[in-house]
Structures are given as C-alpha cells and as structure tokens.
Amino acid sequence: MIIAKFGGTSVSSKESVLTLCNIVGSELERQPVVVVSALSGVTDLLLSLPGLPKSKIGKTIRKIRNLHYNLIKNLWSDKTLQKEIMQFIDNQLDAVAKLISTGNPGGEFLDRLASFGEIMSSFIIARALEKRGIKAAQVIATDLIITNNNFGSAEFLLQPTRKKTKMVLTPLIKQGIVPVVTGFIGSTKTGQVTTLGRGGSDYTASIIGFCLRALEIQIWTDVDGVFTADPRIVEGAKSLQTVSFKEASELAAFGARVLHPRTVRPAIKSGIAVKVLNTFNPQNGGTLIEERSTTQGKIKAVSFKKKIFLVNIYATEMLYQKGFLAKIFRVFVRYDILVDLVSVSEVSVSVSVDERKNLENAIKDLSEFSNVSLIEDMGMVSLIGEEITSSTKTIRKVFEILDKEKILARMISLSAASINISIVMESDKVEQAVRILHNHFLLTTRLS
Ligand code: ADP
Ligand code: ASP
Ligand code: MG
C-alpha cells in the first residue's frame, strides 16, 4: 500500500485534479490511500472569518463557495452532478456560518473552523475519482487520527490512531475502494476537532503511512521536489534527487514549507520511503527522502524564516548560578512557547521564537528576575547538510560572505549534531542572504 498526499494547488484546478486521478489510477495495484489538503487559500480564508466585521463575513464565505463552485463547474458539465456536489459545499458553508455566529474564537473553535476546508476538498476529490471509474470514498480524519488537545498544533496518539486507522481504512482497501482522507485534522479522545498545525496534511499522510505500514509516502505538490532553496525566492535553485531523513527534517523545521516539520519522523521510525513529487510535472522523479545522506560534509540546501522574534535576557546574577537556565525555560514552558534557537553567554541568554502568542506574558514573568528586550521582525537563514559544521572552511566562508554583504548576524547557532548553521538577522536582509549564500555554496556544486 502507498499513501499519496495532494496539497492545496494539486486539488484546486481542473487540470491538477485530472492529473491526480491519473496518478491514483496508475497506482491502483499498490492500493493507494489518498490524503488531500483544502483548496489553495481556503484555510486562510476560513481562519480569517472570526477577525472580520459582520458585514464582511458573508462576502468571505461567498468567496470560499465560489472557489469550490468554479472547480466543480470546470470539472463537470452534468448539471445534476454539479448540483449534488454544490449542495454538499453549501451545507458545509452553512455550518461554517452557524459556527461563526455562535462560537468563541478559542483554539478548539478555530480548529473546527479550519477543518471545513479539507472536508469540502475531500468530497470533491472522491467524486472526481469515482467519475474517472475509480472506486473511492471520502474519509474524515476525525475518525482516524486521535490527538492530544493541543489545538492548533496537536500531536497524534499512537495506540488509538493505529487502531482506528486500521479499523476504518483496511476494509475499504480490501474492497478495492480508494479512501480519500482529509489531511490536517484529527480529534481528541472526546471528539473535539483538532488540527496538526499549518501545512499538516503532509503529517497526516505520514501518520497513516506509519499506522498501516505503507511501502511509500508520496507528497504531491507544485514543485519538482525538495530544492536547494525555495525556488520562488532563488532563481537558480535546483531540485535534489535525494535528501536524508535528517536533512529533510531540519530543512522543514527551519522554514522550508515544502514539508510539514513532523512529516519524516514516523517514516524514519519505520523506514518508509518518502517522495516529494510535482503534480504539475508528474514525469519528474522528484526527491527521495532516504535514511542516509549522499553528500556528507557539504551544504545541501538553504532555508529561511521571516517574522521571528528574538528575546534577549540579561542578568548579572546569572554568573556562576546553578539552575538559572532552568528558571528561564520554565517560563517558556509555562506559556507553551516553542523556543527555536538558543545562545548563552555568562550574563545573557538569547532565544528565537516563531510566534507572538503568549510572548508578552512570558516577558513579564522573565522581567521579574532579569532585563528583557524583545526584537521583532527578525529573520533566520539556515544552511543544512550532514556534517557541515565540521568544516572550519565552510563556517569561515559563511561569515566572510555576510561581512562582505554588510549583513549583521544578531545570533548564531551551530548545531551540535553538525547538520545546521543558523544565523538570525534583520528580516529584510533574509532574501539577499539566502540568494548570496545559495549562489556561493550551491549554484556550482554537482548535486545528488
Ligand atoms: P502544498 O500545498 O502542496 O502542501 P506548499 O505550498 O505547502 O504546497 O509547499 C510547496 C512550496 O514550498 C513550494 O511552492 C515552494 O515555494 C516552497 N518551498 C520552500 N522551500 C522549498 C524547498 N527547499 N524546496 C521546495 N519547495 C520549497
Ligand atoms: N490546509 C491546511 C493549511 O493550509 C493544511 C495543509 O495544506 O497541509 O495549512
Ligand atoms: Mg504544504
């Protein structure tokens, strides 16, 4: 069995949906399970609803409706069929409108709201497969993926998820029916809807792949695989034939949107091959994510994040004190803030954080025992490759280049695992730094 996940752009146009059907049709022997994202832009539109004035809510819901209606009309000329599928979309959007009018914008509410995107897309894709002569059934992942209640970025619970996934999907697969599963969403043990974090459909695919011991997980997207840098930012970026599990995880965790950061973890555990492929160029072999790196000691790719926060914590009392770091990190734990990079000196600690959520509260608590400054609108550029920090030449060159470009490093981190060099800088310098570092280290290298 294989898992084939199709992202937003892959389910948004007639052409890409027809390609999806062809891909699935050509894999029937390997018993595909399909996982889909919401149509492009729909999750953002849904999540924007609670912040809108009442007068704009109707307009945004109509926009979401039109995105789906247009796809339906492009896919089928049969008016009865169109009407039947549009009715499903209308029912879901009525439920969205009702939720908005009654809900309170907490985590649980937002996850329920976001879940409608995948519920609508999976219905359309299941019908598209059926119309193409492939037996298919929509499966809502709240019946499969059981998570903790960390709304907005929930983690799956292995035992119940494995049990449910097998229970629901195996009979379908045995009957030759292709399950079309909603990506991104799950539910708590008590049935509250959760989401796995933005971009989480990739993770859904790998969770299902892990639970069903799939042969392969295919991530179908809108570029030819994992590139040496985001191809939208760097003109000369090239698609990589292979990257190691470690390199892929690191790239994703440090900003490359092509994969959800947690995707490769289940695959690593069970040795399942993960491929990143292009729905708009299915002939291309894409990128294979495999256990070992083929390019030890070389920079494989550059990734970046923008709009991150740098928290600088100074305390002279830190000098020679035991437990001071623990005291600091307890505050971040208290407010459930994920710390990315950390740099420590005798009297200061700097940490980088992706989100603003709860940051003010944490700073208030930290200020009780230290001086804290917050620097907003920072960015981070990361160079990824196994064993890269073991070369002094590479490190020296990185700083020479930044110096030449007059880019000030506000914080630096060399991973002890030797796979990542990250530099925090002003957000508006990030793209320049990515291009220049990519051009130096990756434009001329032979890639594997
Ligand atoms: P999907 O909707 O298919 O999940 P995403 O938009 O989440 O697609 O991810 C694909 C996008 O990731 C690409 O269009 C590309 O701009 C971006 N991206 C960022 N870094 C990389 C990289 N290193 N390799 C490939 N794509 C990247
Ligand atoms: N639709 C969700 C999002 O936009 C999940 C995904 O696309 O993977 O984040
Ligand atoms: Mg994605």
Side-chain angles (χ1 to χ4, degrees):
M1 172 204 321
I2 63 162
I3 317 296
K5 176 261 169 176
F6 294 87
T9 44
S10 304
V11 295
S12 290
S13 69
K14 176 184 171 180
E15 293 67 32
S16 57
V17 172
L18 295 180
T19 310
L20 177 159
C21 293
N22 286 339
I23 292 165
V24 175
S26 68
E27 287 281 16
L28 289 179
E29 263 180 26
R30 292 208 291 169
Q31 302 180 307
V33 173
V34 172
V35 174
V36 290
S37 292
L39 267 61
S40 284
V42 166
T43 310
D44 284 339
L45 286 170
L46 285 167
L47 290 174
S48 74
L49 288 168
L52 293 177
K54 270 207 174 106
S55 56
K56 293 224 168 111
I57 288 177
K59 198 171 157 206
T60 303
I61 293 184
R62 276 197 297 283
K63 201 167 167 187
I64 300 173
R65 176 175 291 126
N66 285 339
L67 285 170
H68 292 87
Y69 271 25
N70 288 340
L71 176 63
I72 295 164
K73 283 189 217 155
N74 287 337
L75 277 170
W76 300 291
S77 51
D78 177 344
K79 292 275 189 268
T80 323
L81 179 66
Q82 278 186 8
K83 218 171 142 204
E84 180 216 325
I85 303 175
M86 286 171 176
Q87 187 60 55
F88 180 87
I89 302 298
D90 285 347
N91 292 345
Q92 301 309 311
L93 291 175
D94 287 349
V96 167
K98 200 164 159 216
L99 182 65
I100 292 290
S101 68
T102 55
N104 64 318
E108 181 196 346
F109 167 85
L110 290 177
D111 281 9
R112 218 161 102 62
L113 184 59
S115 72
F116 285 98
E118 272 69 11
I119 293 176
M120 292 187 282
S121 64
S122 55
F123 187 82
I124 298 177
I125 298 303
R127 295 314 303 266
L129 288 168
E130 288 203 319
K131 283 282 136 197
R132 165 74 166 52
I134 299 165
K135 283 199 275 178
Q138 181 193 32
V139 177
I140 315 277
T142 45
D143 291 336
L144 308 182
I145 311 250
I146 307 304
T147 71
N148 61 15
N149 62 359
N150 187 11
F151 297 101
S153 184
E155 187 54 275
F156 82 106
L157 307 171
L158 179 59
Q159 299 307 336
T161 302
R162 185 181 269 158
K163 195 168 147 209
K164 293 229 173 194
T165 301
K166 281 186 178 164
M167 208 168 74
V168 177
L169 297 185
T170 313
L172 292 173
I173 296 166
K174 279 198 176 141
Q175 293 170 66
I177 298 171
V178 176
V180 181
V181 184
T182 54
F184 184 46
I185 65 177
S187 91
T188 62
K189 279 184 183 160
T190 54
Q192 292 169 297
V193 179
T194 52
T195 61
L196 306 173
R198 295 305 304 270
S201 302
D202 302 332
Y203 194 35
T204 306
S206 82
I207 294 170
I208 295 176
F210 180 69
C211 291
L212 297 182
R213 297 178 192 278
L215 281 175
E216 188 173 293
I217 297 163
Q218 302 176 344
I219 306 290
W220 290 90
T221 185
D222 56 6
V223 289
D224 282 341
V226 178
F227 277 63
T228 48
D230 186 342
R232 287 180 208 276
I233 304 292
V234 179
E235 218 181 291
K238 294 189 195 79
S239 165
L240 293 155
Q241 266 177 30
T242 61
V243 292
S244 71
F245 280 136
K246 272 197 216 153
E247 288 162 345
S249 311
E250 207 79 2
L251 261 170
F254 285 87
R257 208 183 51 197
V258 64
L259 280 178
H260 180 278
R262 281 179 267 161
T263 310
V264 287
R265 213 192 305 156
I268 294 177
K269 278 197 178 158
S270 45
I272 304 172
V274 181
K275 281 184 182 163
V276 180
L277 297 147
N278 188 354
T279 311
F280 301 85
N281 186 17
Q283 266 69 45
N284 187 286
T287 302
L288 171 67
I289 302 173
E290 56 185 9
E291 206 173 330
R292 247 180 243 143
S293 174
T294 44
T295 49
Q296 295 277 329
K298 278 200 192 129
I299 292 176
K300 197 82 174 252
V302 185
S303 64
F304 67 91
K305 284 185 185 176
K306 284 171 106 174
K307 298 210 179 318
I308 64 165
F309 301 87
L310 193 60
V311 186
N312 292 320
I313 304 147
Y314 309 88
T316 38
E317 63 155 302
M318 197 178 144
L319 220 74
Y320 309 117
Q321 270 214 29
K322 281 183 194 153
F324 193 80
L325 283 177
K327 205 166 156 185
I328 289 175
F329 286 104
R330 264 198 297 276
V331 174
F332 288 104
V333 172
R334 188 176 312 144
Y335 291 106
D336 199 22
I337 295 171
L338 199 70
V339 169
D340 224 354
L341 298 181
V342 183
S343 154
V344 183
S345 81
E346 252 338 295
V347 290
S348 75
V349 180
S350 299
V351 302
S352 78
V353 174
D354 279 358
E355 282 182 47
R356 167 148 238 140
K357 202 172 138 204
N358 289 341
L359 209 50
E360 244 95 85
N361 289 330
I363 289 174
K364 208 165 138 231
D365 287 14
L366 290 166
S367 303
E368 283 170 16
F369 57 89
S370 57
N371 290 321
V372 188
S373 71
L374 172 70
I375 313 179
E376 303 189 38
D377 210 16
M378 287 282 113
M380 174 166 73
V381 174
S382 304
L383 299 155
I384 316 284
E386 291 201 18
E387 297 305 322
I388 55 167
T389 59
S390 50
S391 153
T392 52
K393 244 203 220 152
T394 308
I395 299 171
R396 196 185 62 221
K397 196 69 210 174
V398 169
F399 291 104
E400 259 175 41
I401 291 171
L402 294 178
D403 181 41
K404 205 164 143 219
E405 293 293 312
K406 306 226 172 331
I407 295 175
L408 183 67
R410 304 292 287 261
M411 177 178 169
I412 296 152
S413 158
L414 303 181
S415 77
S418 211
I419 189 167
N420 166 339
I421 302 173
S422 288
I423 307 126
V424 175
M425 60 187 69
E426 310 285 330
S427 231
D428 61 3
K429 297 281 184 203
V430 162
E431 289 174 14
Q432 178 193 354
V434 169
R435 287 195 193 101
I436 211 91
L437 289 166
H438 180 273
N439 288 356
H440 180 83
F441 288 107
L442 290 156
L443 214 51
T444 50
T445 7
R446 261 171 44 94
L447 299 167
S448 54

